[in-house]
Amino acid sequence: MWLTKTYNEKFQQEYKIESKLLETKGNKHNIEIFNAQAFGGIALIDETIMFKNFVTLQSEFLAHTAVCSHKEPKKVLVLGSFNLEIAYELLRHLKIKVDFLQFDLKVLQSLISFLPHYQEVLDNPRFTHIPQLENEFIQQNQERNNPYDIILCLESKKNYESYYNLLSEDGIMIIKCPHLLLDTKEAIKTLESLDDSFKVKMPFYMPLFFDMNDCYIFASKKYHPIADIMLQRADMLEDLQYYHANLHLSAFTLPKAIKKSLLGVAKN
């Protein structure tokens, strides 16, 4: 059997699966988990795919690219994701506290045997799961003036202004981006939708990975992901499978044609 993932009306990918292990409908999302020999397992949450054997790679990449670009991050918000492994990687940095915003608890609990550090993350005193709707959470935090140094917003949205207001004065926000080669016009629109007060707005991607969804935008009020990379912090991380300083830097290297098309829109 084959699992087909459609990215747009012109492009789709297929993954070989053996059987369906679980199907659950949550409050807002649906999850299906499949047995897939090449990937260890595949979790399909609405239109988002997670690969059991490779979820660590994606998590390292997102967590450490953000943290190693900020001089002294202390508080991180992860939203729009069920991937607790991102929190696990963030918590490797001992001064960081992680808030994980996810309302759909039924779907999250379905991943208890899929994510390798599920319970370890929940038990960490520096981790807080916030089972709230995003609009409620944003309103409450704006009123409390409780800013984050880093926000990982990992689902596509049309308006990022409310999340910008949750950032500290030197904060970094990483968001999903349409594919830079397959959907360049939509990537440009996403860049244009970001607040003009971001001093840095740079697209980047996950090198040597097969999921076409792994394109992002690094939006920062102060720090530059290349000029300000904390090399000592990046090099001191141990027992990683994917992330390192040179890979961090290479993720922001774009083809010449793409760089030309983003002139005047990206800020670097």
Side-chain angles (χ1 to χ4, degrees):
M1 296 187 293
W2 293 84
L3 172 65
T4 301
K5 172 70 174 68
T6 301
Y7 291 91
N8 56 43
E9 68 278 4
K10 298 178 181 179
F11 185 82
Q12 64 185 25
Q13 284 183 304
E14 290 187 328
Y15 305 95
K16 182 69 177 293
I17 58 175
E18 280 73 48
S19 60
K20 181 185 290 187
L21 303 177
L22 178 145
E23 182 174 1
T24 300
K25 185 172 183 178
N27 295 320
K28 185 179 177 182
H29 303 275
N30 298 322
I31 182 172
E32 297 174 273
I33 297 179
F34 302 90
N35 182 27
Q37 185 176 0
F39 307 103
I42 295 176
L44 177 64
I45 305 173
D46 299 331
E47 294 300 316
T48 300
I49 280 183
M50 285 195 291
F51 304 95
K52 189 171 185 178
N53 285 351
F54 301 107
V55 68
T56 297
L57 278 60
Q58 292 173 301
S59 304
E60 287 181 10
F61 178 67
L62 289 170
H64 303 309
T65 298
V67 172
C68 293
S69 299
H70 193 290
K71 185 176 180 180
E72 196 174 3
K74 296 179 180 177
K75 192 172 181 184
V76 180
L77 172 66
V78 181
L79 59 95
S81 177
F82 289 90
N83 184 6
L84 286 173
E85 287 300 298
I86 296 173
Y88 175 80
E89 294 299 330
L90 289 165
L91 292 167
R92 288 179 183 267
H93 303 272
L94 299 180
K95 294 184 179 180
I96 285 180
K97 294 182 179 180
V98 179
D99 285 354
F100 193 90
L101 183 66
Q102 183 50 254
F103 173 72
D104 208 331
L105 187 59
K106 189 173 183 180
V107 172
L108 184 63
Q109 290 174 336
S110 298
L111 293 165
I112 190 168
S113 60
F114 190 91
L115 300 174
H117 300 98
Y118 184 99
Q119 196 60 48
E120 185 176 343
V121 170
L122 293 181
D123 292 340
N124 192 304
R126 292 183 287 118
F127 174 84
T128 302
H129 171 225
I130 303 174
Q132 271 186 290
L133 292 171
E134 291 182 18
N135 290 340
E136 296 175 1
F137 174 80
I138 290 167
Q139 184 177 1
Q140 289 179 10
N141 276 265
Q142 285 177 331
E143 293 171 354
R144 295 173 186 170
N145 191 27
N146 194 16
Y148 290 92
D149 301 304
I150 296 170
I151 296 178
L152 302 180
C153 186
L154 302 178
E155 64 180 354
S156 299
K157 295 184 177 296
K158 295 181 180 179
N159 187 348
Y160 296 92
E161 184 177 352
S162 54
Y163 301 102
Y164 173 85
N165 293 332
L166 297 181
L167 280 172
S168 61
E169 293 181 356
D170 58 359
I172 294 169
M173 184 162 67
I174 289 180
I175 67 171
K176 292 284 291 184
C177 178
H179 196 277
L180 295 167
L181 281 172
L182 295 173
D183 220 351
T184 307
K185 290 182 179 179
E186 288 302 314
I188 290 173
K189 288 181 182 179
T190 304
L191 280 163
E192 291 175 334
S193 73
L194 294 173
D195 197 291
D196 287 337
S197 55
F198 279 119
K199 294 182 178 179
V200 176
K201 295 193 293 184
M202 293 177 62
F204 67 109
Y205 63 98
M206 189 171 173
L208 201 63
F209 203 66
F210 48 83
D211 188 347
M212 303 302 290
N213 262 348
D214 277 291
C215 291
Y216 305 90
I217 294 172
F218 182 102
S220 172
K221 293 185 178 183
K222 178 179 179 179
Y223 297 108
H224 191 284
I226 297 175
D228 295 316
I229 183 174
M230 306 298 291
L231 288 172
Q232 184 177 9
R233 186 183 302 157
D235 289 338
M236 288 183 65
L237 292 165
E238 297 180 351
D239 300 323
L240 298 185
Q241 298 182 41
Y242 185 79
Y243 177 85
H244 58 85
N246 286 338
L247 185 136
H248 174 128
L249 298 173
S250 69
F252 293 89
T253 302
L254 302 179
K256 191 170 184 177
I258 298 297
K259 288 185 67 176
K260 184 177 180 180
S261 68
L262 297 178
L263 283 175
V265 182
K267 290 183 181 180
N268 55 10

